[in-house]
Amino acid sequence: MTAPVFVVEQVPAGPEFVLDGPEGRHAVSVKRLQAGENVVLTDGHGRWTEGIVRATEGKDRLVVTDLCTVHEEPRPTPRITVVQALPKGDRGEVAVETMTETGVDAIVPWQASRCITQWKGDRGLKALAKWRTTARAAGKQSRRVRFPEVTDALTTKQVAALLATADFAAVLHEDRGYDSEPLATVGLPAGGEIILVVGPEGGVSPEELATFAEAGARTCRLGRSVLRTSTAGTAATALLLGRTGRWA
């Protein structure tokens, strides 16, 4: 089993480090780590080191020793970004959590025209903060050392500009009235940036589809069944990770 992951502002070069604060409390009081167990310390941006617990102090201090060399995980290629329309309730956090655990590299909240949820003012800031907190927690849980970026929420026009920069861009769309291609067989780049758009519960509007098509995005489908907006991005990410060899 891989060692549990804890986040630090700066990855220590050793030989000893004291993990305290919320992360230390989680290690000591929640995970109940003991002397002799291995841990990984990461900044969440790809830099990490591994060490051994020497002792615990109180309820929130973990003394880690025998720290190895600081490593840097290479940036994955192709990079996979999911533009996620804002779902209802807590389904946004579900989408962020499962996409992070699966291996997505970036998540872009999108205020689609058919979104019931609206991110405005303080409510929007709180919702965005919750998505970022969820990505961090899921990154730790899945023992990643490079957590996905969760960007500010974008408008349709801003999403179109983002799609225009991609090496491959696609809108996941289930409507059989559109000439959609199977994501399982469509041609993919060997590197660069792949961007997928996941629509809201009411679907992507014809106007949005036209705007994204003008930006170079293709229309793709996952399969015969229709997935929820909170699960489609995770399924698509898993498919792409397998097809591009990143899960090899």
Side-chain angles (χ1 to χ4, degrees):
M1 185 175 181
T2 56
V5 171
F6 298 94
V7 182
V8 293
E9 288 188 11
Q10 185 172 350
V11 179
E16 189 168 281
F17 179 77
V18 176
L19 182 69
D20 54 13
E23 291 291 280
R25 185 175 303 107
H26 184 72
V28 176
S29 300
V30 179
K31 300 293 287 186
R32 298 187 181 279
L33 296 180
Q34 301 294 322
E37 296 188 73
N38 289 357
V39 295
V40 169
L41 305 177
T42 181
D43 61 3
H45 301 292
R47 290 174 59 82
W48 64 278
T49 187
E50 188 168 7
I52 300 174
V53 177
R54 181 173 67 79
T56 61
E57 298 176 350
K59 297 181 179 180
D60 61 356
R61 287 170 62 87
L62 192 77
V63 182
V64 183
T65 190
D66 292 341
L67 291 164
C68 66
T69 304
V70 176
H71 304 278
E72 180 145 10
E73 182 177 271
R75 291 184 177 276
T77 185
R79 188 171 187 262
I80 299 173
T81 295
V82 173
V83 176
Q84 174 67 58
L86 308 181
K88 297 183 293 185
D90 62 356
R91 289 178 182 169
E93 288 92 82
V94 171
V96 171
E97 180 179 60
T98 54
M99 284 193 285
T100 299
E101 292 173 355
T102 304
V104 77
D105 301 302
I107 300 168
V108 179
W110 170 39
Q111 188 72 67
S113 64
R114 293 178 176 175
C115 283
I116 296 173
T117 298
Q118 299 288 319
W119 280 11
K120 295 180 179 179
D122 289 342
R123 179 181 179 182
L125 294 175
K126 289 179 180 178
L128 178 59
K130 188 174 290 188
W131 279 33
R132 287 172 172 165
T133 298
T134 300
R136 174 186 167 113
K140 289 172 55 181
Q141 187 278 329
S142 55
R143 302 191 177 178
R144 295 178 59 170
V145 295
R146 188 181 290 279
F147 302 163
E149 174 191 8
V150 179
T151 73
D152 292 342
L154 299 187
T155 63
T156 297
K157 182 177 180 180
Q158 290 170 324
V159 170
L162 181 66
L163 296 176
T165 68
D167 296 279
F168 173 85
V171 182
L172 298 181
H173 193 62
E174 80 286 353
D175 193 335
R176 291 178 176 81
Y178 288 84
D179 187 20
S180 58
E181 307 169 82
L183 190 63
T185 57
V186 70
L188 297 174
E193 182 94 20
I194 295 175
I195 303 179
L196 298 178
V197 177
V198 176
E201 286 86 349
V204 184
S205 72
E207 295 77 16
E208 290 164 338
L209 284 171
T211 298
F212 295 156
E214 289 177 6
R218 301 160 83 156
T219 304
C220 292
R221 63 183 183 277
L222 278 172
R224 293 175 180 269
S225 59
V226 178
L227 300 180
R228 287 184 181 273
T229 183
S230 54
T231 56
T234 300
T237 297
L239 175 62
L240 293 178
L241 288 170
R243 288 200 59 203
T244 58
R246 283 183 49 182
W247 267 4

